Amino acid sequence: MIPARQVVARILSDVGLLSAVDKLRFIATIARLQPATRRFVSANPNFSLPPKALAFDAYSAPDWDFYKRSGLATAEFLSEISKKYLAMDCPVKVFEWGCGPARVIRHLRATFGLDAKIYGSDYNEETIAWCRDNIPGVTFLHNTLQPDPPLPIENDFFDLIYSISVFTHLSESTSQRWIAELLRIVRPCGLLIITTQGDALKLRMMPDELRRYRTSGTAVRDKCSEGKKLFSAFHSPEYLRQKLFKVFEVLEHAPASFPFTAQDYWVLRRPP
Protein backbone atom coordinates (compact mmCIF):
# COMPACT_ATOMS: atom_id res chain seq x y z
CA MET A 1 0.00 0.00 0.00
CA ILE A 2 1.29 3.45 -0.94
CA PRO A 3 1.95 5.57 2.20
CA ALA A 4 -0.65 8.29 2.75
CA ARG A 5 2.13 10.91 2.80
CA GLN A 6 3.03 10.04 -0.80
CA VAL A 7 -0.59 10.31 -1.90
CA VAL A 8 -0.95 13.73 -0.27
CA ALA A 9 2.32 14.91 -1.80
CA ARG A 10 1.12 13.80 -5.25
CA ILE A 11 -2.14 15.70 -4.85
CA LEU A 12 -0.31 18.85 -3.72
CA SER A 13 2.09 18.50 -6.65
CA ASP A 14 -0.75 18.10 -9.15
CA VAL A 15 -2.44 21.29 -7.94
CA GLY A 16 0.82 23.27 -7.74
CA LEU A 17 0.93 23.64 -3.95
CA LEU A 18 3.80 21.35 -3.02
CA SER A 19 6.44 24.11 -2.91
CA ALA A 20 4.20 26.36 -0.80
CA VAL A 21 3.56 23.58 1.69
CA ASP A 22 7.30 22.86 1.82
CA LYS A 23 7.93 26.49 2.81
CA LEU A 24 5.40 26.18 5.62
CA ARG A 25 7.13 23.00 6.74
CA PHE A 26 10.43 24.93 6.82
CA ILE A 27 8.92 27.56 9.16
CA ALA A 28 7.45 24.87 11.43
CA THR A 29 10.74 22.96 11.49
CA ILE A 30 12.71 26.05 12.50
CA ALA A 31 10.33 26.65 15.40
CA ARG A 32 10.44 23.02 16.52
CA LEU A 33 14.23 22.87 16.48
CA GLN A 34 14.89 26.17 18.29
CA PRO A 35 15.71 24.58 21.69
CA ALA A 36 18.02 22.02 20.06
CA THR A 37 19.69 24.79 18.03
CA ARG A 38 20.44 26.80 21.17
CA ARG A 39 21.94 23.74 22.87
CA PHE A 40 24.11 22.92 19.84
CA VAL A 41 25.45 26.47 19.46
CA SER A 42 26.27 26.61 23.16
CA ALA A 43 28.15 23.30 22.99
CA ASN A 44 29.88 24.06 19.66
CA PRO A 45 30.65 27.80 19.67
CA ASN A 46 33.32 27.60 16.96
CA PHE A 47 31.44 25.33 14.55
CA SER A 48 30.34 27.35 11.50
CA LEU A 49 26.70 26.77 10.61
CA PRO A 50 25.22 27.44 7.17
CA PRO A 51 22.06 29.50 6.73
CA LYS A 52 19.04 27.48 7.84
CA ALA A 53 17.34 27.81 4.47
CA LEU A 54 20.34 26.23 2.72
CA ALA A 55 20.38 23.33 5.15
CA PHE A 56 16.65 22.77 4.74
CA ASP A 57 16.93 22.92 0.96
CA ALA A 58 19.67 20.29 1.01
CA TYR A 59 18.69 18.04 3.91
CA SER A 60 15.06 18.95 4.73
CA ALA A 61 15.94 20.05 8.27
CA PRO A 62 18.47 22.43 9.84
CA ASP A 63 19.08 19.91 12.64
CA TRP A 64 22.64 20.83 13.56
CA ASP A 65 23.36 17.78 15.68
CA PHE A 66 22.43 15.60 12.69
CA TYR A 67 24.37 17.89 10.35
CA LYS A 68 27.59 17.47 12.35
CA ARG A 69 27.21 13.86 13.47
CA SER A 70 26.06 12.45 10.12
CA GLY A 71 28.60 14.48 8.16
CA LEU A 72 31.55 13.13 10.12
CA ALA A 73 30.25 9.54 10.08
CA THR A 74 29.68 9.73 6.32
CA ALA A 75 33.18 11.10 5.73
CA GLU A 76 34.58 8.18 7.73
CA PHE A 77 32.47 5.74 5.70
CA LEU A 78 33.78 7.16 2.42
CA SER A 79 37.35 6.94 3.69
CA GLU A 80 36.94 3.27 4.62
CA ILE A 81 35.59 2.40 1.16
CA SER A 82 38.46 4.25 -0.47
CA LYS A 83 41.05 2.34 1.55
CA LYS A 84 39.68 -0.92 0.12
CA TYR A 85 40.29 0.06 -3.49
CA LEU A 86 42.77 2.95 -3.66
CA ALA A 87 46.45 3.16 -2.79
CA MET A 88 46.46 5.71 0.04
CA ASP A 89 50.25 6.05 0.31
CA CYS A 90 50.21 9.43 -1.44
CA PRO A 91 47.87 12.42 -1.12
CA VAL A 92 44.52 11.65 -2.72
CA LYS A 93 42.42 14.05 -4.76
CA VAL A 94 38.78 13.88 -3.70
CA PHE A 95 35.79 15.62 -5.28
CA GLU A 96 32.24 15.92 -3.97
CA TRP A 97 29.88 16.72 -6.81
CA GLY A 98 26.82 18.33 -5.22
CA CYS A 99 28.42 19.26 -1.91
CA GLY A 100 25.54 21.39 -0.59
CA PRO A 101 26.40 23.40 2.53
CA ALA A 102 29.38 21.16 3.39
CA ARG A 103 27.74 18.57 5.66
CA VAL A 104 30.26 15.91 4.61
CA ILE A 105 33.07 17.68 2.80
CA ARG A 106 34.08 19.80 5.80
CA HIS A 107 35.24 16.58 7.55
CA LEU A 108 37.26 15.04 4.71
CA ARG A 109 40.66 16.37 5.68
CA ALA A 110 40.19 14.74 9.10
CA THR A 111 39.35 11.37 7.52
CA PHE A 112 41.49 11.37 4.36
CA GLY A 113 44.48 13.20 5.83
CA LEU A 114 45.52 16.83 6.02
CA ASP A 115 47.51 16.51 2.79
CA ALA A 116 44.49 15.34 0.76
CA LYS A 117 43.37 17.67 -2.02
CA ILE A 118 39.66 18.28 -1.49
CA TYR A 119 37.29 19.85 -4.02
CA GLY A 120 33.55 20.40 -3.98
CA SER A 121 30.97 21.84 -6.35
CA ASP A 122 27.29 22.71 -6.32
CA TYR A 123 24.85 24.46 -8.61
CA ASN A 124 23.53 26.68 -5.80
CA GLU A 125 25.63 29.85 -5.95
CA GLU A 126 24.61 30.94 -2.44
CA THR A 127 25.73 27.59 -1.04
CA ILE A 128 29.12 27.81 -2.75
CA ALA A 129 29.60 31.40 -1.53
CA TRP A 130 28.95 30.31 2.06
CA CYS A 131 31.28 27.32 1.74
CA ARG A 132 34.12 29.46 0.36
CA ASP A 133 33.78 31.89 3.27
CA ASN A 134 33.47 29.31 6.04
CA ILE A 135 35.11 25.99 5.14
CA PRO A 136 38.94 26.21 4.95
CA GLY A 137 41.18 23.77 3.15
CA VAL A 138 38.69 22.96 0.38
CA THR A 139 38.47 24.30 -3.18
CA PHE A 140 34.85 25.09 -4.02
CA LEU A 141 33.52 25.44 -7.55
CA HIS A 142 30.18 26.57 -8.90
CA ASN A 143 28.64 24.36 -11.56
CA THR A 144 25.51 24.84 -13.63
CA LEU A 145 22.67 22.33 -13.63
CA GLN A 146 23.96 21.02 -16.96
CA PRO A 147 27.69 20.32 -17.48
CA ASP A 148 27.78 23.06 -20.13
CA PRO A 149 30.41 24.40 -19.89
CA PRO A 150 32.35 21.51 -18.33
CA LEU A 151 33.80 21.81 -14.87
CA PRO A 152 37.10 23.75 -14.81
CA ILE A 153 38.99 20.55 -14.04
CA GLU A 154 41.51 18.84 -16.29
CA ASN A 155 40.95 15.32 -17.60
CA ASP A 156 41.85 12.30 -15.40
CA PHE A 157 42.32 14.46 -12.31
CA PHE A 158 40.57 12.89 -9.29
CA ASP A 159 41.27 9.65 -7.44
CA LEU A 160 37.79 9.64 -5.91
CA ILE A 161 34.54 11.35 -6.84
CA TYR A 162 31.48 10.89 -4.66
CA SER A 163 27.94 12.14 -5.02
CA ILE A 164 25.27 11.79 -2.35
CA SER A 165 21.64 12.10 -3.43
CA VAL A 166 22.31 14.09 -6.60
CA PHE A 167 21.31 11.71 -9.38
CA THR A 168 18.16 11.28 -7.26
CA HIS A 169 17.10 14.81 -8.28
CA LEU A 170 18.00 14.87 -11.98
CA SER A 171 16.27 13.93 -15.22
CA GLU A 172 17.54 11.05 -17.31
CA SER A 173 19.13 13.29 -19.94
CA THR A 174 20.89 15.47 -17.34
CA SER A 175 22.15 12.35 -15.56
CA GLN A 176 23.63 11.00 -18.78
CA ARG A 177 25.50 14.24 -19.41
CA TRP A 178 26.87 14.35 -15.88
CA ILE A 179 28.05 10.76 -15.79
CA ALA A 180 30.06 11.53 -18.94
CA GLU A 181 31.57 14.59 -17.23
CA LEU A 182 32.47 12.61 -14.10
CA LEU A 183 34.06 9.96 -16.31
CA ARG A 184 36.19 12.69 -17.89
CA ILE A 185 37.62 14.01 -14.63
CA VAL A 186 38.21 10.78 -12.69
CA ARG A 187 41.57 9.13 -13.38
CA PRO A 188 41.87 5.65 -14.87
CA CYS A 189 41.26 3.12 -12.08
CA GLY A 190 39.81 5.96 -9.96
CA LEU A 191 36.59 5.51 -7.96
CA LEU A 192 33.09 6.91 -8.07
CA ILE A 193 30.76 6.44 -5.09
CA ILE A 194 27.19 7.34 -6.03
CA THR A 195 23.86 7.02 -4.24
CA THR A 196 20.55 6.30 -5.97
CA GLN A 197 16.93 5.49 -5.16
CA GLY A 198 16.14 1.93 -6.23
CA ASP A 199 13.98 -1.11 -5.58
CA ALA A 200 13.62 -0.42 -1.86
CA LEU A 201 11.37 2.54 -2.71
CA LYS A 202 8.91 0.69 -4.92
CA LEU A 203 6.31 0.77 -2.16
CA ARG A 204 6.48 4.58 -2.12
CA MET A 205 5.92 4.97 -5.86
CA MET A 206 2.61 5.96 -7.35
CA PRO A 207 1.14 3.44 -9.83
CA ASP A 208 2.20 5.41 -12.92
CA GLU A 209 5.73 5.85 -11.50
CA LEU A 210 5.98 2.16 -10.76
CA ARG A 211 4.91 1.29 -14.31
CA ARG A 212 7.62 3.53 -15.77
CA TYR A 213 10.17 2.16 -13.33
CA ARG A 214 9.37 -1.43 -14.32
CA THR A 215 9.26 -0.81 -18.06
CA SER A 216 12.11 1.68 -18.58
CA GLY A 217 14.15 1.32 -15.40
CA THR A 218 13.73 4.93 -14.33
CA ALA A 219 10.92 7.19 -13.13
CA VAL A 220 10.85 10.85 -12.07
CA ARG A 221 8.59 13.20 -10.13
CA ASP A 222 9.22 16.29 -12.16
CA LYS A 223 6.49 18.84 -11.43
CA CYS A 224 9.03 21.15 -9.81
CA SER A 225 12.45 22.55 -10.64
CA GLU A 226 15.06 19.97 -11.59
CA GLY A 227 17.82 19.70 -9.03
CA LYS A 228 15.58 20.62 -6.09
CA LYS A 229 14.78 18.05 -3.41
CA LEU A 230 11.13 17.87 -4.46
CA PHE A 231 12.24 16.67 -7.92
CA SER A 232 12.80 12.97 -7.33
CA ALA A 233 14.29 10.28 -9.59
CA PHE A 234 14.30 6.50 -9.17
CA HIS A 235 16.66 4.09 -10.96
CA SER A 236 16.53 0.30 -11.09
CA PRO A 237 19.78 -1.61 -10.61
CA GLU A 238 19.39 -3.12 -14.08
CA TYR A 239 19.06 0.33 -15.68
CA LEU A 240 22.13 1.62 -13.89
CA ARG A 241 24.28 -1.38 -14.77
CA GLN A 242 23.20 -1.50 -18.41
CA LYS A 243 22.90 2.22 -19.19
CA LEU A 244 24.03 4.97 -16.83
CA PHE A 245 27.02 3.11 -15.33
CA LYS A 246 27.76 0.84 -18.27
CA VAL A 247 31.29 2.17 -18.91
CA PHE A 248 32.36 1.56 -15.29
CA GLU A 249 33.33 -1.58 -13.42
CA VAL A 250 30.85 -2.12 -10.58
CA LEU A 251 32.84 -2.99 -7.45
CA GLU A 252 29.95 -2.79 -4.98
CA HIS A 253 26.21 -2.30 -5.02
CA ALA A 254 24.57 -2.10 -1.60
CA PRO A 255 20.77 -1.63 -1.73
CA ALA A 256 19.29 0.89 0.72
CA SER A 257 22.53 0.95 2.73
CA PHE A 258 24.16 4.37 2.46
CA PRO A 259 24.52 5.97 5.90
CA PHE A 260 21.72 8.29 7.03
CA THR A 261 19.92 8.21 3.65
CA ALA A 262 18.92 4.55 3.20
CA GLN A 263 19.68 5.01 -0.49
CA ASP A 264 21.47 2.44 -2.64
CA TYR A 265 25.16 3.08 -3.01
CA TRP A 266 27.39 2.10 -5.89
CA VAL A 267 31.17 1.85 -5.89
CA LEU A 268 32.38 2.19 -9.47
CA ARG A 269 35.84 2.06 -10.97
CA ARG A 270 36.88 3.69 -14.22
CA PRO A 271 38.56 1.10 -16.42
CA PRO A 272 42.31 1.55 -16.98
Side-chain angles (χ1 to χ4, degrees):
M1 180 179 294
I2 301 170
R5 180 178 177 182
Q6 300 300 321
V7 176
V8 171
R10 179 61 172 270
I11 294 171
L12 292 171
S13 177
D14 288 344
V15 299
L17 292 177
L18 189 58
S19 294
V21 170
D22 196 53
K23 291 178 181 178
L24 292 176
R25 191 164 69 90
F26 169 63
I27 295 171
T29 301
I30 294 300
R32 176 175 58 84
L33 290 174
Q34 276 187 343
T37 296
R38 287 194 293 267
R39 289 193 298 271
F40 182 90
V41 171
S42 177
N44 302 270
N46 299 316
F47 191 84
S48 298
L49 294 174
K52 293 176 181 178
L54 294 181
F56 185 81
D57 184 60
Y59 318 121
S60 293
D63 180 337
W64 303 127
D65 178 70
F66 170 83
Y67 172 88
K68 182 180 181 181
R69 173 174 48 85
S70 69
L72 178 57
T74 301
E76 292 171 342
F77 178 80
L78 294 169
S79 178
E80 289 304 309
I81 291 179
S82 301
K83 290 174 183 176
K84 291 170 62 175
Y85 301 108
L86 290 175
M88 306 290 280
D89 52 352
C90 58
V92 294
K93 298 175 182 175
V94 183
F95 176 52
E96 180 176 7
W97 172 56
C99 63
R103 179 178 67 95
V104 176
I105 201 170
R106 67 190 301 159
H107 300 288
L108 291 191
R109 295 183 75 224
T111 57
F112 280 84
L114 295 179
D115 56 354
K117 307 299 182 183
I118 310 297
Y119 293 72
S121 79
D122 201 274
Y123 85 123
N124 187 319
E125 292 185 79
E126 186 180 354
T127 289
I128 290 299
W130 181 85
C131 287
R132 285 171 174 164
D133 289 341
N134 292 275
I135 308 300
V138 179
T139 300
F140 288 102
L141 309 169
H142 175 250
N143 62 258
T144 55
L145 184 62
Q146 302 290 343
D148 306 313
L151 291 165
I153 300 292
E154 62 188 77
N155 294 351
D156 309 335
F157 187 76
F158 290 110
D159 301 293
L160 167 66
I161 297 173
Y162 70 93
S163 178
I164 303 169
S165 196
V166 178
F167 283 105
T168 55
H169 302 292
L170 299 179
S171 67
E172 184 175 12
S173 61
T174 300
S175 295
Q176 290 170 343
R177 290 175 181 149
W178 271 110
I179 200 68
E181 176 66 355
L182 299 183
L183 175 65
R184 180 185 71 81
I185 61 177
V186 69
R187 68 166 172 81
C189 296
L191 297 183
L192 269 67
I193 301 174
I194 293 172
T195 74
T196 60
Q197 298 182 124
D199 287 351
L201 294 179
K202 284 182 180 179
L203 293 177
R204 298 186 186 181
M205 296 182 196
M206 301 299 290
D208 59 321
E209 295 169 343
L210 187 57
R211 283 193 298 271
R212 292 196 299 273
Y213 183 85
R214 285 172 171 166
T215 57
S216 68
T218 182
V220 296
R221 295 173 182 167
D222 56 0
K223 293 188 177 181
C224 53
S225 299
E226 185 175 5
K228 295 293 186 180
K229 68 177 185 289
L230 298 179
F231 185 110
S232 196
F234 308 90
H235 304 88
S236 73
E238 294 79 11
Y239 169 87
L240 292 170
R241 287 180 183 273
Q242 296 171 13
K243 294 186 178 180
L244 197 62
F245 299 157
K246 65 181 180 180
V247 300
F248 294 94
E249 177 188 359
V250 177
L251 300 176
E252 294 184 30
H253 169 224
S257 298
F258 195 78
F260 304 98
T261 69
Q263 293 181 4
D264 292 14
Y265 75 82
W266 297 78
V267 183
L268 311 172
R269 179 157 56 198
R270 178 182 165 181

